[in-house]
Amino acid sequence: MVPEGQIMDILEKQRKDILQRLSNLTEAQAEFRYAPGKWSIKEVIGHLADTERYMTYRLFCIARGEKAQLPGHDQDEFVKEAMFESYPVITLIEDYVSVRNSTVQLLKNLRNDVWINWGDANGCPVTVRALAFIIAGHELHHVKILTERYFQDNDFPA
């Protein structure tokens, strides 16, 4: 899903795009779920920030030479425990922006030679470079779902 181009440019463009898409959401819109049992938009935003934190942690560890297997996580438990519904949507958006800014800054400061470092993330071999693209692809996946299943739903609040 990630387009051709420099990963730094892609990540920075994503930050701008998601701010444009989400910054005018009302609280009612941000609490919308397109189906029972699905995450609200608030939960999706929180999930994006949390997952990027987690993936960036893995990326950081591997870039620094970590050889131990890095753990996985249960995204549904993370969302449940975070209680994103209790936060104003603007707070969740600000958190996402903060995380993305931190990711971009970390990537800017990586030495060229560490982008090809291999590590073990939850039993899967992965490089620093791949993790950067996974972060971008994960966001693209959720933006597609937000666009197709949330914003275009007939019951989406006006």
Side-chain angles (χ1 to χ4, degrees):
M1 292 185 74
V2 180
E4 293 286 326
Q6 297 295 318
I7 190 61
M8 301 299 290
D9 296 336
I10 293 165
L11 292 169
E12 288 178 345
K13 182 180 184 313
Q14 283 183 327
R15 178 183 53 218
K16 291 175 190 167
D17 290 348
I18 207 160
L19 276 172
Q20 187 176 28
R21 289 176 186 264
L22 302 179
S23 61
N24 292 322
L25 285 176
T26 66
E27 288 299 314
Q29 289 171 327
E31 292 169 1
F32 179 75
R33 300 167 191 272
Y34 69 88
K38 296 299 182 180
W39 292 342
S40 69
I41 293 174
K42 282 184 173 184
E43 290 170 324
V44 172
I45 298 167
H47 166 72
L48 285 172
D50 272 5
T51 299
E52 185 159 331
R53 271 187 186 95
Y54 207 83
M55 292 296 174
T56 302
Y57 168 74
R58 289 173 168 178
L59 183 153
F60 169 79
C61 289
I62 295 168
R64 296 296 195 256
E66 180 61 68
K67 300 301 180 206
Q69 181 178 352
L70 299 167
H73 71 287
D74 181 332
Q75 65 181 10
D76 292 316
E77 281 299 312
F78 273 34
V79 168
K80 179 182 165 193
E81 289 299 319
M83 298 179 10
F84 294 124
E85 291 294 320
S86 66
Y87 295 95
V89 67
I90 191 63
T91 300
L92 297 169
I93 292 169
E94 288 170 351
D95 186 49
Y96 159 84
V97 169
S98 177
V99 171
R100 178 53 57 95
N101 288 342
S102 177
T103 299
V104 168
Q105 191 61 43
L106 172 66
L107 295 177
K108 282 181 180 178
N109 291 320
L110 290 180
R111 294 188 332 257
N112 288 337
D113 63 309
V114 302
W115 285 84
I116 58 171
N117 283 10
W118 284 89
D120 184 331
N122 197 29
C124 297
V126 67
T127 64
V128 169
R129 182 178 184 279
L131 283 164
F133 277 88
I134 289 168
I135 290 166
H138 179 256
E139 180 167 317
L140 287 170
H141 164 74
H142 282 288
V143 167
K144 184 175 193 272
I145 291 172
L146 284 169
T147 301
E148 294 175 359
R149 297 186 189 164
Y150 290 79
F151 301 147
Q152 294 180 8
D153 191 286
N154 290 333
D155 295 325
F156 186 70

mmCIF file of all heavy atoms in Angstrom, residues 79-123:
data_model
loop_
_atom_site.group_PDB
_atom_site.id
_atom_site.type_symbol
_atom_site.label_atom_id
_atom_site.label_comp_id
_atom_site.label_asym_id
_atom_site.label_seq_id
_atom_site.Cartn_x
_atom_site.Cartn_y
_atom_site.Cartn_z
ATOM 1 N N VAL A 79 -6.183 -1.370 23.027
ATOM 2 C CA VAL A 79 -7.257 -0.386 22.818
ATOM 3 C C VAL A 79 -8.205 -0.386 24.006
ATOM 4 O O VAL A 79 -8.588 0.665 24.517
ATOM 5 C CB VAL A 79 -7.995 -0.644 21.483
ATOM 6 C CG1 VAL A 79 -9.285 0.156 21.387
ATOM 7 C CG2 VAL A 79 -7.083 -0.324 20.306
ATOM 8 N N LYS A 80 -8.567 -1.564 24.482
ATOM 9 C CA LYS A 80 -9.479 -1.670 25.622
ATOM 10 C C LYS A 80 -8.883 -0.999 26.861
ATOM 11 O O LYS A 80 -9.553 -0.207 27.541
ATOM 12 C CB LYS A 80 -9.758 -3.149 25.909
ATOM 13 C CG LYS A 80 -10.668 -3.396 27.076
ATOM 14 C CD LYS A 80 -10.836 -4.890 27.295
ATOM 15 C CE LYS A 80 -11.428 -5.165 28.648
ATOM 16 N NZ LYS A 80 -11.338 -6.567 29.023
ATOM 17 N N GLU A 81 -7.634 -1.293 27.154
ATOM 18 C CA GLU A 81 -6.987 -0.752 28.354
ATOM 19 C C GLU A 81 -6.731 0.748 28.265
ATOM 20 O O GLU A 81 -6.692 1.440 29.277
ATOM 21 C CB GLU A 81 -5.674 -1.484 28.629
ATOM 22 C CG GLU A 81 -5.863 -2.899 29.119
ATOM 23 C CD GLU A 81 -6.627 -2.978 30.432
ATOM 24 O OE1 GLU A 81 -6.384 -2.157 31.340
ATOM 25 O OE2 GLU A 81 -7.498 -3.859 30.543
ATOM 26 N N ALA A 82 -6.565 1.266 27.060
ATOM 27 C CA ALA A 82 -6.267 2.695 26.891
ATOM 28 C C ALA A 82 -7.472 3.582 27.180
ATOM 29 O O ALA A 82 -7.310 4.741 27.545
ATOM 30 C CB ALA A 82 -5.759 2.961 25.480
ATOM 31 N N MET A 83 -8.669 3.033 26.996
ATOM 32 C CA MET A 83 -9.907 3.792 27.229
ATOM 33 C C MET A 83 -9.909 5.104 26.437
ATOM 34 O O MET A 83 -10.165 6.180 26.971
ATOM 35 C CB MET A 83 -10.118 4.022 28.734
ATOM 36 C CG MET A 83 -10.278 2.719 29.464
ATOM 37 S SD MET A 83 -10.507 2.730 31.275
ATOM 38 C CE MET A 83 -10.758 4.377 31.730
ATOM 39 N N PHE A 84 -9.631 5.000 25.143
ATOM 40 C CA PHE A 84 -9.573 6.174 24.279
ATOM 41 C C PHE A 84 -10.883 6.950 24.243
ATOM 42 O O PHE A 84 -10.884 8.150 23.990
ATOM 43 C CB PHE A 84 -9.180 5.773 22.853
ATOM 44 C CG PHE A 84 -7.780 5.228 22.738
ATOM 45 C CD1 PHE A 84 -7.565 3.975 22.178
ATOM 46 C CD2 PHE A 84 -6.689 5.969 23.161
ATOM 47 C CE1 PHE A 84 -6.282 3.466 22.046
ATOM 48 C CE2 PHE A 84 -5.406 5.467 23.041
ATOM 49 C CZ PHE A 84 -5.193 4.215 22.483
ATOM 50 N N GLU A 85 -11.990 6.287 24.511
ATOM 51 C CA GLU A 85 -13.295 6.958 24.501
ATOM 52 C C GLU A 85 -13.377 8.075 25.548
ATOM 53 O O GLU A 85 -14.162 9.001 25.397
ATOM 54 C CB GLU A 85 -14.417 5.946 24.755
ATOM 55 C CG GLU A 85 -14.630 4.957 23.636
ATOM 56 C CD GLU A 85 -15.141 5.600 22.367
ATOM 57 O OE1 GLU A 85 -15.997 6.503 22.435
ATOM 58 O OE2 GLU A 85 -14.674 5.199 21.290
ATOM 59 N N SER A 86 -12.557 7.984 26.578
ATOM 60 C CA SER A 86 -12.624 8.979 27.651
ATOM 61 C C SER A 86 -11.857 10.264 27.334
ATOM 62 O O SER A 86 -11.911 11.218 28.110
ATOM 63 C CB SER A 86 -12.099 8.372 28.957
ATOM 64 O OG SER A 86 -10.719 8.089 28.855
ATOM 65 N N TYR A 87 -11.156 10.296 26.212
ATOM 66 C CA TYR A 87 -10.368 11.466 25.824
ATOM 67 C C TYR A 87 -11.076 12.292 24.765
ATOM 68 O O TYR A 87 -11.737 11.734 23.888
ATOM 69 C CB TYR A 87 -9.009 11.024 25.257
ATOM 70 C CG TYR A 87 -8.125 10.347 26.259
ATOM 71 C CD1 TYR A 87 -8.105 8.955 26.361
ATOM 72 C CD2 TYR A 87 -7.308 11.086 27.110
ATOM 73 C CE1 TYR A 87 -7.294 8.322 27.289
ATOM 74 C CE2 TYR A 87 -6.491 10.461 28.030
ATOM 75 C CZ TYR A 87 -6.486 9.072 28.118
ATOM 76 O OH TYR A 87 -5.693 8.462 29.035
ATOM 77 N N PRO A 88 -10.901 13.604 24.801
ATOM 78 C CA PRO A 88 -11.400 14.419 23.684
ATOM 79 C C PRO A 88 -10.641 14.029 22.409
ATOM 80 O O PRO A 88 -9.445 13.714 22.470
ATOM 81 C CB PRO A 88 -11.063 15.859 24.091
ATOM 82 C CG PRO A 88 -10.768 15.811 25.554
ATOM 83 C CD PRO A 88 -10.292 14.420 25.852
ATOM 84 N N VAL A 89 -11.309 14.064 21.289
ATOM 85 C CA VAL A 89 -10.677 13.665 20.031
ATOM 86 C C VAL A 89 -9.443 14.503 19.742
ATOM 87 O O VAL A 89 -8.443 13.988 19.233
ATOM 88 C CB VAL A 89 -11.683 13.668 18.854
ATOM 89 C CG1 VAL A 89 -12.160 15.075 18.525
ATOM 90 C CG2 VAL A 89 -11.072 13.003 17.629
ATOM 91 N N ILE A 90 -9.454 15.776 20.086
ATOM 92 C CA ILE A 90 -8.292 16.632 19.823
ATOM 93 C C ILE A 90 -7.069 16.141 20.583
ATOM 94 O O ILE A 90 -5.940 16.203 20.079
ATOM 95 C CB ILE A 90 -8.583 18.125 20.118
ATOM 96 C CG1 ILE A 90 -7.453 19.007 19.590
ATOM 97 C CG2 ILE A 90 -8.830 18.374 21.584
ATOM 98 C CD1 ILE A 90 -7.262 18.981 18.097
ATOM 99 N N THR A 91 -7.261 15.617 21.771
ATOM 100 C CA THR A 91 -6.147 15.066 22.555
ATOM 101 C C THR A 91 -5.549 13.858 21.850
ATOM 102 O O THR A 91 -4.321 13.706 21.793
ATOM 103 C CB THR A 91 -6.632 14.682 23.969
ATOM 104 O OG1 THR A 91 -7.124 15.857 24.609
ATOM 105 C CG2 THR A 91 -5.519 14.061 24.795
ATOM 106 N N LEU A 92 -6.399 13.010 21.289
ATOM 107 C CA LEU A 92 -5.914 11.823 20.568
ATOM 108 C C LEU A 92 -5.173 12.218 19.301
ATOM 109 O O LEU A 92 -4.150 11.617 18.956
ATOM 110 C CB LEU A 92 -7.077 10.891 20.253
ATOM 111 C CG LEU A 92 -7.781 10.322 21.482
ATOM 112 C CD1 LEU A 92 -9.069 9.624 21.084
ATOM 113 C CD2 LEU A 92 -6.863 9.377 22.249
ATOM 114 N N ILE A 93 -5.668 13.233 18.616
ATOM 115 C CA ILE A 93 -4.996 13.721 17.405
ATOM 116 C C ILE A 93 -3.638 14.317 17.766
ATOM 117 O O ILE A 93 -2.634 14.055 17.088
ATOM 118 C CB ILE A 93 -5.893 14.726 16.656
ATOM 119 C CG1 ILE A 93 -7.115 13.998 16.085
ATOM 120 C CG2 ILE A 93 -5.110 15.429 15.549
ATOM 121 C CD1 ILE A 93 -8.203 14.919 15.562
ATOM 122 N N GLU A 94 -3.594 15.102 18.828
ATOM 123 C CA GLU A 94 -2.323 15.684 19.274
ATOM 124 C C GLU A 94 -1.323 14.596 19.654
ATOM 125 O O GLU A 94 -0.125 14.718 19.381
ATOM 126 C CB GLU A 94 -2.554 16.630 20.450
ATOM 127 C CG GLU A 94 -3.231 17.921 20.061
ATOM 128 C CD GLU A 94 -3.682 18.752 21.256
ATOM 129 O OE1 GLU A 94 -3.635 18.253 22.414
ATOM 130 O OE2 GLU A 94 -4.095 19.906 21.029
ATOM 131 N N ASP A 95 -1.804 13.534 20.275
ATOM 132 C CA ASP A 95 -0.937 12.416 20.636
ATOM 133 C C ASP A 95 -0.375 11.760 19.380
ATOM 134 O O ASP A 95 0.820 11.483 19.296
ATOM 135 C CB ASP A 95 -1.706 11.402 21.485
ATOM 136 C CG ASP A 95 -0.816 10.292 22.001
ATOM 137 O OD1 ASP A 95 0.262 10.591 22.554
ATOM 138 O OD2 ASP A 95 -1.203 9.112 21.837
ATOM 139 N N TYR A 96 -1.242 11.520 18.405
ATOM 140 C CA TYR A 96 -0.790 10.940 17.135
ATOM 141 C C TYR A 96 0.308 11.818 16.515
ATOM 142 O O TYR A 96 1.350 11.315 16.082
ATOM 143 C CB TYR A 96 -1.965 10.788 16.150
ATOM 144 C CG TYR A 96 -1.492 10.690 14.727
ATOM 145 C CD1 TYR A 96 -1.085 9.476 14.192
ATOM 146 C CD2 TYR A 96 -1.385 11.832 13.936
ATOM 147 C CE1 TYR A 96 -0.581 9.404 12.899
ATOM 148 C CE2 TYR A 96 -0.890 11.763 12.649
ATOM 149 C CZ TYR A 96 -0.494 10.555 12.135
ATOM 150 O OH TYR A 96 0.008 10.484 10.872
ATOM 151 N N VAL A 97 0.083 13.136 16.462
ATOM 152 C CA VAL A 97 1.057 14.054 15.866
ATOM 153 C C VAL A 97 2.380 13.992 16.629
ATOM 154 O O VAL A 97 3.453 13.957 16.020
ATOM 155 C CB VAL A 97 0.500 15.496 15.819
ATOM 156 C CG1 VAL A 97 1.593 16.505 15.453
ATOM 157 C CG2 VAL A 97 -0.654 15.585 14.838
ATOM 158 N N SER A 98 2.306 13.950 17.942
ATOM 159 C CA SER A 98 3.513 13.869 18.764
ATOM 160 C C SER A 98 4.296 12.590 18.465
ATOM 161 O O SER A 98 5.524 12.618 18.315
ATOM 162 C CB SER A 98 3.121 13.927 20.242
ATOM 163 O OG SER A 98 4.244 13.773 21.059
ATOM 164 N N VAL A 99 3.586 11.488 18.371
ATOM 165 C CA VAL A 99 4.241 10.211 18.076
ATOM 166 C C VAL A 99 4.868 10.256 16.686
ATOM 167 O O VAL A 99 6.025 9.849 16.498
ATOM 168 C CB VAL A 99 3.251 9.040 18.205
ATOM 169 C CG1 VAL A 99 3.858 7.744 17.686
ATOM 170 C CG2 VAL A 99 2.814 8.874 19.656
ATOM 171 N N ARG A 100 4.121 10.755 15.708
ATOM 172 C CA ARG A 100 4.663 10.810 14.339
ATOM 173 C C ARG A 100 5.877 11.728 14.267
ATOM 174 O O ARG A 100 6.872 11.400 13.616
ATOM 175 C CB ARG A 100 3.573 11.274 13.363
ATOM 176 C CG ARG A 100 4.013 11.421 11.903
ATOM 177 C CD ARG A 100 4.688 10.181 11.300
ATOM 178 N NE ARG A 100 3.921 8.980 11.342
ATOM 179 C CZ ARG A 100 3.149 8.509 10.364
ATOM 180 N NH1 ARG A 100 3.030 9.184 9.239
ATOM 181 N NH2 ARG A 100 2.496 7.371 10.519
ATOM 182 N N ASN A 101 5.825 12.857 14.953
ATOM 183 C CA ASN A 101 6.988 13.754 14.973
ATOM 184 C C ASN A 101 8.197 13.056 15.570
ATOM 185 O O ASN A 101 9.321 13.192 15.075
ATOM 186 C CB ASN A 101 6.676 15.026 15.754
ATOM 187 C CG ASN A 101 5.733 15.950 15.016
ATOM 188 O OD1 ASN A 101 5.542 15.844 13.802
ATOM 189 N ND2 ASN A 101 5.118 16.870 15.748
ATOM 190 N N SER A 102 7.984 12.295 16.631
ATOM 191 C CA SER A 102 9.069 11.556 17.267
ATOM 192 C C SER A 102 9.633 10.485 16.329
ATOM 193 O O SER A 102 10.856 10.298 16.245
ATOM 194 C CB SER A 102 8.558 10.922 18.563
ATOM 195 O OG SER A 102 9.565 10.155 19.166
ATOM 196 N N THR A 103 8.747 9.794 15.629
ATOM 197 C CA THR A 103 9.191 8.770 14.671
ATOM 198 C C THR A 103 10.054 9.398 13.589
ATOM 199 O O THR A 103 11.145 8.896 13.275
ATOM 200 C CB THR A 103 7.977 8.061 14.031
ATOM 201 O OG1 THR A 103 7.231 7.412 15.058
ATOM 202 C CG2 THR A 103 8.405 7.046 12.992
ATOM 203 N N VAL A 104 9.576 10.481 13.014
ATOM 204 C CA VAL A 104 10.317 11.156 11.945
ATOM 205 C C VAL A 104 11.673 11.628 12.448
ATOM 206 O O VAL A 104 12.696 11.453 11.774
ATOM 207 C CB VAL A 104 9.480 12.316 11.358
ATOM 208 C CG1 VAL A 104 10.325 13.212 10.461
ATOM 209 C CG2 VAL A 104 8.277 11.767 10.594
ATOM 210 N N GLN A 105 11.710 12.193 13.650
ATOM 211 C CA GLN A 105 12.978 12.661 14.203
ATOM 212 C C GLN A 105 13.950 11.501 14.414
ATOM 213 O O GLN A 105 15.139 11.617 14.100
ATOM 214 C CB GLN A 105 12.743 13.416 15.513
ATOM 215 C CG GLN A 105 13.956 14.155 16.019
ATOM 216 C CD GLN A 105 14.435 15.220 15.037
ATOM 217 O OE1 GLN A 105 13.638 15.951 14.469
ATOM 218 N NE2 GLN A 105 15.729 15.290 14.822
ATOM 219 N N LEU A 106 13.453 10.395 14.938
ATOM 220 C CA LEU A 106 14.304 9.216 15.124
ATOM 221 C C LEU A 106 14.878 8.762 13.788
ATOM 222 O O LEU A 106 16.083 8.521 13.668
ATOM 223 C CB LEU A 106 13.515 8.073 15.772
ATOM 224 C CG LEU A 106 14.238 6.722 15.847
ATOM 225 C CD1 LEU A 106 15.445 6.800 16.766
ATOM 226 C CD2 LEU A 106 13.277 5.637 16.301
ATOM 227 N N LEU A 107 14.028 8.650 12.784
ATOM 228 C CA LEU A 107 14.486 8.175 11.482
ATOM 229 C C LEU A 107 15.499 9.127 10.855
ATOM 230 O O LEU A 107 16.462 8.684 10.220
ATOM 231 C CB LEU A 107 13.298 7.972 10.546
ATOM 232 C CG LEU A 107 12.312 6.873 10.960
ATOM 233 C CD1 LEU A 107 11.133 6.821 9.994
ATOM 234 C CD2 LEU A 107 12.984 5.518 11.073
ATOM 235 N N LYS A 108 15.307 10.420 11.038
ATOM 236 C CA LYS A 108 16.252 11.403 10.502
ATOM 237 C C LYS A 108 17.644 11.220 11.090
ATOM 238 O O LYS A 108 18.643 11.528 10.444
ATOM 239 C CB LYS A 108 15.774 12.829 10.797
ATOM 240 C CG LYS A 108 14.688 13.317 9.898
ATOM 241 C CD LYS A 108 14.302 14.747 10.257
ATOM 242 C CE LYS A 108 13.202 15.265 9.364
ATOM 243 N NZ LYS A 108 12.791 16.637 9.729
ATOM 244 N N ASN A 109 17.694 10.740 12.327
ATOM 245 C CA ASN A 109 18.975 10.624 13.029
ATOM 246 C C ASN A 109 19.618 9.251 12.933
ATOM 247 O O ASN A 109 20.678 9.037 13.521
ATOM 248 C CB ASN A 109 18.795 11.017 14.497
ATOM 249 C CG ASN A 109 18.516 12.497 14.648
ATOM 250 O OD1 ASN A 109 19.103 13.319 13.953
ATOM 251 N ND2 ASN A 109 17.607 12.836 15.536
ATOM 252 N N LEU A 110 18.999 8.321 12.204
ATOM 253 C CA LEU A 110 19.610 7.003 12.056
ATOM 254 C C LEU A 110 20.797 7.068 11.099
ATOM 255 O O LEU A 110 20.741 7.759 10.075
ATOM 256 C CB LEU A 110 18.596 5.993 11.511
ATOM 257 C CG LEU A 110 17.474 5.570 12.437
ATOM 258 C CD1 LEU A 110 16.565 4.570 11.719
ATOM 259 C CD2 LEU A 110 17.992 4.969 13.730
ATOM 260 N N ARG A 111 21.823 6.330 11.424
ATOM 261 C CA ARG A 111 22.942 6.190 10.492
ATOM 262 C C ARG A 111 22.470 5.398 9.279
ATOM 263 O O ARG A 111 21.611 4.512 9.393
ATOM 264 C CB ARG A 111 24.103 5.441 11.156
ATOM 265 C CG ARG A 111 24.763 6.158 12.297
ATOM 266 C CD ARG A 111 26.035 5.426 12.782
ATOM 267 N NE ARG A 111 26.031 4.000 12.570
ATOM 268 C CZ ARG A 111 25.796 3.081 13.532
ATOM 269 N NH1 ARG A 111 25.521 3.462 14.761
ATOM 270 N NH2 ARG A 111 25.837 1.796 13.243
ATOM 271 N N ASN A 112 23.033 5.665 8.143
ATOM 272 C CA ASN A 112 22.635 4.977 6.911
ATOM 273 C C ASN A 112 22.809 3.462 7.002
ATOM 274 O O ASN A 112 22.005 2.711 6.452
ATOM 275 C CB ASN A 112 23.416 5.514 5.709
ATOM 276 C CG ASN A 112 22.968 6.904 5.319
ATOM 277 O OD1 ASN A 112 21.860 7.316 5.616
ATOM 278 N ND2 ASN A 112 23.849 7.637 4.652
ATOM 279 N N ASP A 113 23.845 3.018 7.693
ATOM 280 C CA ASP A 113 24.136 1.584 7.723
ATOM 281 C C ASP A 113 23.165 0.774 8.586
ATOM 282 O O ASP A 113 23.057 -0.435 8.408
ATOM 283 C CB ASP A 113 25.571 1.335 8.197
ATOM 284 C CG ASP A 113 25.828 1.817 9.615
ATOM 285 O OD1 ASP A 113 25.508 2.992 9.916
ATOM 286 O OD2 ASP A 113 26.345 1.019 10.427
ATOM 287 N N VAL A 114 22.406 1.389 9.490
ATOM 288 C CA VAL A 114 21.528 0.604 10.370
ATOM 289 C C VAL A 114 20.171 0.299 9.743
ATOM 290 O O VAL A 114 19.430 -0.542 10.253
ATOM 291 C CB VAL A 114 21.327 1.266 11.759
ATOM 292 C CG1 VAL A 114 22.663 1.461 12.458
ATOM 293 C CG2 VAL A 114 20.544 2.540 11.675
ATOM 294 N N TRP A 115 19.830 0.946 8.629
ATOM 295 C CA TRP A 115 18.542 0.698 7.977
ATOM 296 C C TRP A 115 18.403 -0.762 7.525
ATOM 297 O O TRP A 115 17.298 -1.262 7.378
ATOM 298 C CB TRP A 115 18.351 1.641 6.790
ATOM 299 C CG TRP A 115 18.029 3.030 7.216
ATOM 300 C CD1 TRP A 115 18.910 4.007 7.591
ATOM 301 C CD2 TRP A 115 16.733 3.602 7.334
ATOM 302 N NE1 TRP A 115 18.237 5.153 7.936
ATOM 303 C CE2 TRP A 115 16.897 4.935 7.778
ATOM 304 C CE3 TRP A 115 15.444 3.133 7.102
ATOM 305 C CZ2 TRP A 115 15.817 5.786 7.999
ATOM 306 C CZ3 TRP A 115 14.371 3.987 7.311
ATOM 307 C CH2 TRP A 115 14.562 5.290 7.756
ATOM 308 N N ILE A 116 19.535 -1.437 7.335
ATOM 309 C CA ILE A 116 19.485 -2.838 6.891
ATOM 310 C C ILE A 116 19.685 -3.825 8.047
ATOM 311 O O ILE A 116 19.719 -5.038 7.830
ATOM 312 C CB ILE A 116 20.514 -3.111 5.777
ATOM 313 C CG1 ILE A 116 21.938 -2.787 6.242
ATOM 314 C CG2 ILE A 116 20.148 -2.335 4.506
ATOM 315 C CD1 ILE A 116 23.024 -3.235 5.285
ATOM 316 N N ASN A 117 19.774 -3.320 9.274
ATOM 317 C CA ASN A 117 19.888 -4.217 10.439
ATOM 318 C C ASN A 117 18.666 -5.118 10.520
ATOM 319 O O ASN A 117 17.526 -4.662 10.368
ATOM 320 C CB ASN A 117 19.970 -3.421 11.741
ATOM 321 C CG ASN A 117 21.321 -2.818 11.993
ATOM 322 O OD1 ASN A 117 22.195 -2.815 11.127
ATOM 323 N ND2 ASN A 117 21.505 -2.271 13.184
ATOM 324 N N TRP A 118 18.913 -6.394 10.798
ATOM 325 C CA TRP A 118 17.840 -7.370 10.977
ATOM 326 C C TRP A 118 17.589 -7.600 12.456
ATOM 327 O O TRP A 118 18.518 -7.589 13.265
ATOM 328 C CB TRP A 118 18.232 -8.715 10.357
ATOM 329 C CG TRP A 118 18.137 -8.725 8.873
ATOM 330 C CD1 TRP A 118 19.118 -8.376 7.985
ATOM 331 C CD2 TRP A 118 17.009 -9.082 8.096
ATOM 332 N NE1 TRP A 118 18.656 -8.503 6.709
ATOM 333 C CE2 TRP A 118 17.359 -8.939 6.739
ATOM 334 C CE3 TRP A 118 15.717 -9.510 8.413
ATOM 335 C CZ2 TRP A 118 16.484 -9.209 5.706
ATOM 336 C CZ3 TRP A 118 14.849 -9.794 7.377
ATOM 337 C CH2 TRP A 118 15.226 -9.642 6.047
ATOM 338 N N GLY A 119 16.331 -7.833 12.800
ATOM 339 C CA GLY A 119 15.964 -8.180 14.155
ATOM 340 C C GLY A 119 14.808 -9.158 14.137
ATOM 341 O O GLY A 119 14.325 -9.558 13.073
ATOM 342 N N ASP A 120 14.375 -9.540 15.323
ATOM 343 C CA ASP A 120 13.288 -10.495 15.486
ATOM 344 C C ASP A 120 12.142 -9.820 16.228
ATOM 345 O O ASP A 120 12.255 -9.501 17.399
ATOM 346 C CB ASP A 120 13.795 -11.705 16.273
ATOM 347 C CG ASP A 120 12.767 -12.804 16.418
ATOM 348 O OD1 ASP A 120 11.545 -12.506 16.438
ATOM 349 O OD2 ASP A 120 13.167 -13.966 16.529
ATOM 350 N N ALA A 121 11.054 -9.581 15.520
ATOM 351 C CA ALA A 121 9.877 -8.961 16.116
ATOM 352 C C ALA A 121 8.768 -10.001 16.214
ATOM 353 O O ALA A 121 8.186 -10.381 15.196
ATOM 354 C CB ALA A 121 9.433 -7.757 15.291
ATOM 355 N N ASN A 122 8.560 -10.487 17.418
ATOM 356 C CA ASN A 122 7.505 -11.473 17.659
ATOM 357 C C ASN A 122 7.682 -12.729 16.798
ATOM 358 O O ASN A 122 6.717 -13.262 16.260
ATOM 359 C CB ASN A 122 6.130 -10.824 17.420
ATOM 360 C CG ASN A 122 5.003 -11.616 18.034
ATOM 361 O OD1 ASN A 122 5.174 -12.305 19.032
ATOM 362 N ND2 ASN A 122 3.839 -11.537 17.424
ATOM 363 N N GLY A 123 8.924 -13.142 16.637
ATOM 364 C CA GLY A 123 9.217 -14.357 15.878
ATOM 365 C C GLY A 123 9.341 -14.155 14.387
ATOM 366 O O GLY A 123 9.513 -15.124 13.648
#
